[in-house]
Amino acid sequence: MIAAIGLLIGLLAGLLLQPDVPIWLEPYLPIAVVAALDAVFGALRAFLDGIFDDKVFVVSFVSNVLIAALIVYLGDKLGVGGQLSTGVIVVLGIRIFSNVAAIRRHIFHA
Amino acid sequence: MVADTHPEQPALTPGSSRKTAQQPPPQAVMGLLNYITETSLDEDYAQVSEQRRRSGEVTPRRRPGTVGMAVLAVFGVLVATAAVQTSRNADQSASSRASLVSQVNARADVLDRQRTTAQELQREITALGDAQLAATTEGRSLESRLNRLGVLTGATAARGPGVRVVVDDAPGAKSPKFMVQAPDLQKLANGLWTVGAEAIAVNGQRLTSLSAIRDAGSAITVNYVSLRPPYTVSAIGNPKRMGADLLDTSGGQTWATLQSFGLKFDVNTEDNMLLPAAKRVAFRYAHEPERRP
């Protein structure tokens, strides 16, 4: 419940304020969102597993976002930014899929 | 094939893998993709709950607190910002596309204007050249020679009396036998040359020494332009004799035979016809004529 409220507040704040993304940050925003999505689905699964922990969630969220952005930044500097982002998206995508599969098993017992 | 990560699965938690040091770590033996799917849940969750259970802390089901709410709010801001940014960029790319389109249109207008200017200048050049030639006696004789050669080569438009031959497929023709073929048109054109035609055009395509009448698929092409039946072959020459003489040539006899198959073959004399110039005579070989002393 409290999580849903937090998510709603964040979405509304983002939509109403429409913060301007600095131009140097723009390429890292989408990958950061995907990394954050992975952390959120992981947290939801942990919650359903009964092993959720606030601290772990915060740390995994922040580190996911930062590492994803860092990898893309490093890739941009090395000239393989596009390929590295693809790699990050593939790994995070697989994780999201398997986490969602586990969540589905919890909810539907199937 | 996705397995739940249970806390009691010893091989997957880093702490327990360190204890059984003889076994290689799971990521070394599982393969990358399997490892990613196996450890899709952060191992820290399992580890922390393990620690908590060992220390005897009893909490039946843990829920996200204020910190979790704050992090989710940040997540919401991130998602909303990314969405807003993407839609804004879409607007930008649409407007840049529109500006490109307007640029293309403006350039096309400029091109049109410049083509018109080029045509005007070309006309001016021709007029000036004619005026120059008409100024001297030598020039006048050169001009008449140029005109004569221009008519023969197709470089200039030709006007004069002649015959107009209209040929067409037999009505309701199904087999190529009853249709006009390129060789038939070739024979007709050659027949007209034989009886003294000075200039010939097929459906407005002037025949030059470089023209070819050819079959291209189901169409006949002249000067690489596809023509549709009926074919109008206009020839400038003596209108009184050309029509009758044509029937004596082999081309005329071919067409007399074709006429008996039902193909249309009409010869009419015309008092005044205008045959357009050939599109462009590309010079492939030229040399300066020897000057007479």
Side-chain angles (χ1 to χ4, degrees):
Chain A
M1 191 61 203
I2 200 165
I5 291 170
L7 187 60
L8 207 65
I9 289 172
L11 279 175
L12 285 177
L15 285 176
L16 292 178
L17 298 177
Q18 300 211 343
D20 258 324
V21 183
I23 199 84
W24 55 270
L25 201 64
E26 216 171 281
Y28 311 118
L29 188 63
I31 205 109
V33 168
V34 176
L37 203 64
D38 171 59
V40 168
F41 275 114
L44 184 57
R45 178 179 169 186
F47 171 69
L48 292 172
D49 280 347
I51 53 171
F52 180 81
D53 189 277
D54 254 344
K55 208 174 98 190
V56 175
F57 175 45
V58 174
V59 170
S60 83
F61 184 91
V62 173
S63 72
N64 255 14
V65 168
L66 286 185
I67 289 171
L70 187 76
I71 288 174
V72 177
Y73 170 79
L74 212 62
D76 274 346
K77 291 293 157 218
L78 293 173
V80 287
Q83 293 89 322
L84 263 185
S85 343
T86 310
V88 170
I89 297 272
V90 166
V91 170
L92 292 179
I94 292 171
R95 281 171 55 118
I96 290 173
F97 264 105
S98 64
N99 277 337
V100 170
I103 292 166
R104 188 191 61 210
R105 271 195 293 277
H106 268 294
I107 294 175
F108 299 108
H109 303 288
Chain B
M1 112 118 253
V2 183
D4 279 2
T5 314
H6 294 296
E8 59 267 24
Q9 259 182 317
L12 292 180
T13 49
S16 53
S17 71
R18 227 174 280 127
K19 265 177 261 159
T20 53
Q22 290 83 6
Q23 279 185 342
Q27 58 266 46
V29 288
M30 284 175 86
L32 186 60
L33 280 180
N34 283 338
Y35 178 69
I36 292 171
T37 42
E38 285 293 314
T39 60
S40 55
L41 183 63
D42 270 327
E43 295 146 354
D44 305 359
Y45 285 116
Q47 209 180 350
V48 166
S49 81
E50 179 83 359
Q51 274 172 8
R52 203 168 271 134
R53 209 182 47 185
R54 228 178 275 148
S55 64
E57 204 182 324
V58 187
T59 38
R61 197 174 181 88
R62 300 186 58 84
R63 299 184 163 279
T66 344
V67 188
M69 188 177 92
V71 171
L72 276 165
V74 171
F75 173 65
V77 171
L78 266 180
V79 169
T81 311
V84 167
Q85 194 71 26
T86 308
S87 70
R88 211 180 278 161
N89 285 353
D91 289 348
Q92 268 171 15
S93 57
S95 68
S96 70
R97 195 181 306 120
S99 89
L100 273 180
V101 166
S102 71
Q103 273 181 36
V104 166
N105 287 338
R107 293 289 167 87
D109 287 347
V110 171
L111 188 63
D112 275 349
R113 274 202 299 281
Q114 286 180 345
R115 277 213 185 103
T116 323
T117 317
Q119 278 172 3
E120 278 165 12
L121 289 173
Q122 191 63 50
R123 268 199 293 277
E124 210 175 307
I125 288 168
T126 316
L128 283 172
D130 288 350
Q132 279 288 343
L133 286 173
T136 59
T137 354
E138 203 186 341
R140 275 195 289 278
S141 76
L142 202 59
E143 190 185 12
S144 67
R145 186 157 168 252
L146 269 178
N147 284 343
R148 210 170 55 244
L149 287 174
V151 168
L152 287 177
T153 56
T156 57
R159 184 188 290 279
V163 294
R164 193 184 293 276
V165 185
V166 180
V167 298
D168 199 355
D169 302 342
K174 289 279 188 318
S175 95
K177 199 176 163 188
F178 298 100
M179 293 179 185
V180 180
Q181 304 289 308
D184 307 334
L185 273 186
Q186 286 168 10
K187 281 173 193 159
L188 179 58
N190 285 338
L192 286 167
W193 288 126
T194 313
V195 298
E198 290 166 37
I200 299 179
V202 182
N203 282 17
Q205 287 296 322
R206 183 78 169 270
L207 296 185
T208 70
S209 53
L210 296 175
S211 296
I213 302 174
R214 296 193 311 177
D215 277 321
S218 58
I220 295 178
T221 68
V222 176
N223 293 345
Y224 305 109
V225 175
S226 295
L227 306 181
R228 294 176 59 79
Y231 306 99
T232 307
V233 185
S234 314
I236 287 179
N238 186 345
K240 289 188 188 109
R241 287 182 35 221
M242 271 169 75
D245 287 355
L246 178 64
L247 296 177
D248 289 337
T249 64
S250 65
Q253 277 158 15
T254 305
W255 270 99
T257 318
L258 287 172
Q259 210 172 2
S260 67
F261 278 97
L263 275 76
K264 186 178 168 188
F265 177 66
D266 286 343
V267 184
N268 294 307
T269 58
E270 296 279 340
D271 290 338
N272 195 10
M273 288 189 302
L274 179 66
L275 304 191
K279 200 169 277 168
R280 184 168 189 94
V281 181
F283 296 110
R284 295 182 190 170
Y285 176 77
H287 70 92
E288 205 178 348
E290 282 171 42
R291 284 175 195 276
R292 287 185 209 111

